[in-house]
Each structure stands twice: as C-alpha cells, then as structure tokens.
Amino acid sequence: MVDESLDLLTLLADPARRRIVGLLAAEQLCTCHLVEELGMKQPVVSHHLRALREAGVVEGSPCGRFTYYRLRPGALDRAAAALVGLATATHSEPPRRPC
Amino acid sequence: MVDESLDLLTLLADPARRRIVGLLAAEQLCTCHLVEELGMKQPVVSHHLRALREAGVVEGSPCGRFTYYRLRPGALDRAAAALVGLATATHSEPPRRPC
DNA sequence: GCGACTCATCGACCACGGCTGATGTCACCT
DNA sequence: AGGTGACATCAGCCGTGGTCGATGAGTCGC
C-alpha cells in the first residue's frame, strides 16, 4: 500500500531530478533551459528527463527543434498522499509489541 | 526551499527503509522484530536504523536488552508538505518560457 | 561469574546509478 | 543541399551506497 505509491521517491532521491521538478513546477522549460539552469551537460539532463518521463512524472511536447517539458498533472498525488499518511502517523503514539 | 525539505527522500529511496518506516508507523518495534518482519540480517537492519536515526526520522528507546524504535513526531512533516506543494503545482498550467 | 541473547559497529565486497564523451536523428535556416 | 543547433541515445568509467561477515559492548538468566 505504502510501498508502491512511494516508489517514485527513488527517482526524487537524486538532487538533480528534484531540481528539475522544482523548476518545472514553476514554468514549462525545454532541455536547453534546464541545461543552463542546472549547469549540467546536455546528455545528463536528457538522461534524467528520460527517467522522469518513463515514470510518468513529466511529459515532453516537441515544438520544432525544442522539446518543452512539464509536470504531468496528478503524477505526484499518490506519493504525496502516502507521505502525508506517514507524516500524520508520526503524531500518534503507536502500541509497543512485546518481545 | 523545496530541495532542503526533500533531502529526506534520499533516505526513503531505499525500499528496505520505506518498509521500516511503514512498519514503525503502525507500532513500535525493536530490532529483532524488524529483522524477522523484513527477513533481513540484523546488521543490515541496524545499518538502516542508524541512517534513519541520524536523519532524525526515528528514535530508539533502549529497554533492557532490547531497543524499541518509533517514528519521531513531525519528522516527515516538512518533506510531506514540500511534496504536496509539488503535487498541487502539477495541477496548474505553468507559463512556457520562450527559447 | 558464566553463557546466551540483543544490538551496534567495523571492514570488505559488489552492484546500481550518475557522469562523460562520442555519435545519431531531426528541424530550421541560407 | 549543406550547415547549424537542439535533443536523444549509447558505451564506458567511476563513485556512492547497500549487503555481508565478523567482532565488540551491554543485558538478563542460571
């Protein structure tokens, strides 16, 4: 239940990908923008975008020579809800199983 | 802003650690419980618990020979809030920066 | 005190994943 | 058509991080 919804967190473990989704949350960008914003080489950015794309987190719209990327609506909803569920669980005192 | 609150996600990237926090969300457990629940060797469990402990996600209460672990209240709040912020951002259509 | 048990730590091995460089494809422009 | 720029993919290197085995510290029962 929790595990499957949170396997996206494996993707967001990498700081570079977190920065990518953070930037895409504010505005749609194409690869060249991300390359200069992140200060990383183009193949690296493309590699991360591929991972995010295959996970359904982002989607790319080819526009001439450029490819604009944006976050896919609702892609993070289940993961966010699962994490909120865990966070609220920390506020209650769970029972202690005897050894 | 987003990046720092979500660096906990690096910890939760590992499925073993996700299972640990999932189990601890339901009840407080000592290491021997986690060892048999997860089917992993004891040093492995102890290693993950150390990582979670140093990140402030869990805390251990020594009780005789045993050490009971539980989630630290509010430890995941910032990460959950940041992820919810990103998830809601996916529902709005962001502007497209021209190339 | 002595043995049995729980748990933490250390060192070494190894696989996974990110980075790099080179190459290929496609669209646009002259 | 030829050149340029944007983007994707591939093969390879290499560092990080998880796993394993052995060991050490602390506790309970005899």
Side-chain angles (χ1 to χ4, degrees):
Chain A
M1 40 160 286
V2 169
D3 212 15
E4 313 87 73
S5 350
L6 284 181
D7 52 358
L8 297 181
L9 298 190
T10 307
L11 280 175
L12 299 178
D14 187 51
R17 287 199 277 259
R18 286 206 295 269
R19 294 179 61 192
I20 288 177
V21 300
L23 290 171
L24 291 181
E27 54 183 346
Q28 298 182 46
L29 299 170
C30 60
T31 312
C32 58
H33 290 146
L34 291 169
V35 167
E36 63 180 59
E37 288 284 345
L38 302 169
M40 303 191 301
K41 303 294 181 60
Q42 178 268 325
V44 179
V45 175
S46 208
H47 169 68
H48 289 309
L49 285 172
R50 174 195 177 93
L52 292 169
R53 200 185 334 133
E54 288 179 346
V57 177
V58 305
E59 59 186 2
S61 318
C63 176
R65 288 187 293 186
F66 311 109
T67 305
Y68 278 93
Y69 280 94
R70 64 170 184 178
L71 296 181
R72 247 162 62 111
L76 302 175
D77 286 358
R78 289 189 57 197
L83 194 54
V84 167
L86 279 181
T88 56
T90 65
H91 291 156
S92 59
E93 185 74 14
R96 174 178 291 195
R97 180 197 296 191
C99 264
Chain B
M1 39 159 293
V2 169
D3 212 15
E4 314 87 72
S5 350
L6 284 181
D7 52 358
L8 293 181
L9 298 189
T10 307
L11 279 176
L12 300 178
D14 187 52
R17 288 199 277 259
R18 286 205 296 269
R19 294 179 62 194
I20 289 177
V21 300
L23 290 171
L24 291 181
E27 52 183 347
Q28 298 182 46
L29 299 171
C30 61
T31 312
C32 58
H33 290 144
L34 291 169
V35 167
E36 65 179 57
E37 288 284 345
L38 302 169
M40 302 191 300
K41 302 294 179 60
Q42 179 267 326
V44 178
V45 175
S46 207
H47 169 69
H48 289 307
L49 285 172
R50 174 194 177 93
L52 292 169
R53 200 186 333 136
E54 288 179 345
V57 178
V58 305
E59 59 186 1
S61 318
C63 177
R65 285 188 294 187
F66 311 108
T67 306
Y68 278 92
Y69 281 93
R70 63 170 184 180
L71 297 180
R72 245 161 64 110
L76 302 175
D77 286 358
R78 290 189 56 197
L83 194 55
V84 167
L86 279 181
T88 56
T90 65
H91 291 155
S92 60
E93 185 75 13
R96 175 178 291 195
R97 180 197 299 193
C99 264

